[in-house]
Amino acid sequence: MEKFVVIMAGGVGSRFWPRSRKTSPKQLLNIFGEQTMIQETVSRLDGLVKPENIFIITNKVQKALIEEQLPELPADNVIAEPVGRNTAPCVGLASVVIGKRANDGVIITLPADHVIKDKVKFHNAINLACEYAYNDKGLVTFGITPTRPETGYGYININKEEVTKGVWSVNKFVEKPNLEKAKEYLKEGNYLWNSGMFIWRADVIAEEIKEYLPSLHQGLKDIDEAIDNNNFLPALAQIFPAFESISVDYGIMEHSKRVFLVEGNFDWSDVGSWETVYELGSKDENNNCNNADVLNFKSSGNYTFSKEKFVALVGVENMIVIDTKDAILVCNRDNTQDVKKVVDYLNDKNKTDLV
């Protein structure tokens, strides 16, 4: 069994404005330490797969910076989509490229911007999922056991009886619930958070694409033939933009009859907003999370980021304050999911230099 990794790194990270921009999105920023998020994602793969078996699917704007941040990877392994078409075309493209190297190669599909703290448990879960994906030809996803009634994640409903030790069959995928429904899921006990991480064989995901997304399959077949003729990049530029924009969850996982789940029993976060950054960060005695030269006077529960300016917070609570060279965000922590509305506004007003 040969293992490969595909890291999906094409997002903009609009909820992380003003630090996250089109040319330097969330995954290319050092949110929590010295390494950027994509560097941390690759680092935690050490000992699991060879660097030459790690592929990044991104876009033309971010490709050069990713190559700069990950010099240990072959440059050809950083593939730029001509346009964004969501995750189903992304994983389909990866299955074609990797299938040329090993048709039955096991592909570990990961987002570029998650935080996972326990590397040993992460590797153990990956290896279990790889064995099942390889031997039983399943589409394996990771579910995270809920610790709270979270409304910001999708959920996966599983059968309570294990198929084999550590592996469950999946009944259905569920969209982000309201709070009442999330409380029900937590009480029932057989709903897990959808982590957005997947493991499958290259040939198996190709079969499922053919079954459930036939037009995507045909386009990928043409790209596959172009690789044989050393015509990959021109064919990609011509064919990829015609693909339907659809997620792998909606296009395949919600319909396939061979979806299984391995529990991710490691500390995990998809870092979906500034609120999550606050929650994961270290706090002072007043629960302020400081990433700046900051004075918190009669202030508590705040997250502050500034590289160049001194920041003074006086008599405020539960605020997010982000200072960059050309923009400032001040946001209540309860409203961090709405930061993307700022990006929508800037696009509508043609203030693209701030996006």
Side-chain angles (χ1 to χ4, degrees):
M1 175 176 58
E2 188 170 9
K3 299 175 188 171
F4 298 83
V5 170
V6 171
I7 298 174
M8 300 180 290
V12 176
S14 57
R15 290 184 181 88
F16 282 80
W17 186 88
R19 285 200 69 194
S20 184
R21 308 289 178 97
K22 285 181 179 178
T23 55
S24 57
K26 175 179 66 168
Q27 61 265 21
L28 302 184
L29 301 176
N30 53 339
I31 301 288
F32 294 103
E34 294 299 318
Q35 287 191 313
T36 65
M37 298 196 77
I38 195 169
Q39 286 173 330
E40 290 177 349
T41 299
V42 171
S43 291
R44 78 173 66 101
L45 299 172
D46 184 41
L48 190 66
V49 293
K50 299 174 290 187
E52 58 266 31
N53 282 9
I54 300 173
F55 291 79
I56 314 289
I57 308 292
T58 184
N59 55 51
K60 291 183 287 187
V61 175
Q62 298 171 27
K63 184 178 190 297
L65 190 53
I66 289 176
E67 290 175 353
E68 180 182 321
Q69 290 193 6
L70 299 171
E72 67 272 29
L73 303 187
D76 287 346
N77 285 24
V78 181
I79 301 170
E81 297 174 335
V83 293
R85 286 294 179 262
N86 215 315
T87 54
C90 174
V91 301
L93 177 61
S95 71
V96 168
V97 173
I98 291 172
K100 288 296 182 188
R101 298 198 183 188
N103 190 46
D104 63 351
V106 176
I107 304 174
I108 304 159
T109 306
L110 307 172
D113 52 5
H114 288 184
V115 169
I116 297 171
K117 294 185 177 179
D118 193 323
K119 181 177 171 181
V120 173
K121 287 183 178 179
F122 175 64
H123 281 203
N124 289 341
I126 288 280
N127 286 327
L128 174 61
C130 285
E131 289 292 335
Y132 195 84
Y134 183 77
N135 293 320
D136 294 87
K137 299 185 178 181
L139 306 182
V140 185
T141 185
F142 283 113
I144 308 297
T145 301
T147 57
R148 61 187 182 276
E150 175 61 57
T151 60
Y153 297 147
Y155 285 70
I156 302 172
N157 176 248
I158 60 172
N159 288 310
K160 292 189 175 181
E161 295 293 326
E162 293 173 296
V163 175
T164 187
K165 185 171 176 57
V167 180
W168 287 263
S169 61
V170 169
N171 289 325
K172 61 181 178 179
F173 287 73
V174 182
E175 296 298 321
K176 297 175 183 178
N178 58 33
L179 183 59
E180 182 179 347
K181 186 65 69 173
K183 288 179 179 177
E184 290 179 17
Y185 293 164
L186 195 66
K187 186 176 180 180
E188 287 187 34
N190 62 328
Y191 284 85
L192 289 85
W193 289 337
N194 184 355
S195 71
M197 296 184 282
F198 309 101
I199 296 180
W200 42 54
R201 281 173 35 163
D203 54 350
V204 171
I205 190 62
E207 290 172 5
E208 298 296 275
I209 291 172
K210 182 178 181 180
E211 174 74 17
Y212 299 108
L213 297 172
S215 61
L216 174 60
H217 165 73
Q218 183 56 53
L220 293 172
K221 184 179 177 182
D222 293 339
I223 292 174
D224 183 67
E225 292 172 357
I227 296 174
D228 290 333
N229 298 323
N230 295 316
N231 198 36
F232 172 61
L233 292 179
L236 183 65
Q238 179 182 355
I239 297 167
F240 200 90
F243 288 153
E244 177 187 5
S245 180
I246 187 170
S247 71
V248 70
D249 296 70
Y250 184 76
I252 296 174
M253 302 298 280
E254 292 183 10
H255 307 289
S256 175
K257 303 300 188 293
R258 42 173 153 176
V259 179
F260 299 88
L261 179 143
V262 166
E263 181 183 358
N265 60 347
F266 38 78
D267 288 336
W268 168 90
S269 173
D270 74 343
V271 197
S273 68
W274 284 118
E275 170 64 13
T276 313
V277 175
Y278 169 81
E279 291 171 354
L280 293 174
S282 58
K283 318 290 193 302
D284 64 16
E285 64 276 10
N286 293 313
N287 285 322
N288 294 300
C289 183
N290 304 317
N291 197 348
D293 181 9
V294 57
L295 168 66
N296 286 286
F297 182 73
K298 295 183 178 179
S299 298
S300 62
N302 301 302
Y303 175 83
T304 308
F305 172 88
S306 178
K307 280 190 173 182
E308 299 178 354
K309 301 183 185 73
F310 168 75
V311 180
L313 302 183
V314 180
V316 297
E317 297 179 349
N318 302 328
M319 302 299 290
I320 302 290
V321 180
I322 311 295
D323 170 75
T324 64
K325 63 181 180 179
D326 59 356
I328 297 172
L329 170 71
V330 180
C331 173
N332 189 285
R333 281 178 37 216
D334 291 335
N335 298 100
T336 54
Q337 292 290 336
D338 294 327
V339 171
K340 65 180 180 179
K341 302 294 186 182
V342 179
V343 177
D344 293 341
Y345 168 84
L346 293 172
N347 282 319
D348 288 343
K349 297 299 182 181
N350 203 30
K351 295 179 180 287
T352 53
D353 57 316
L354 293 174
V355 179

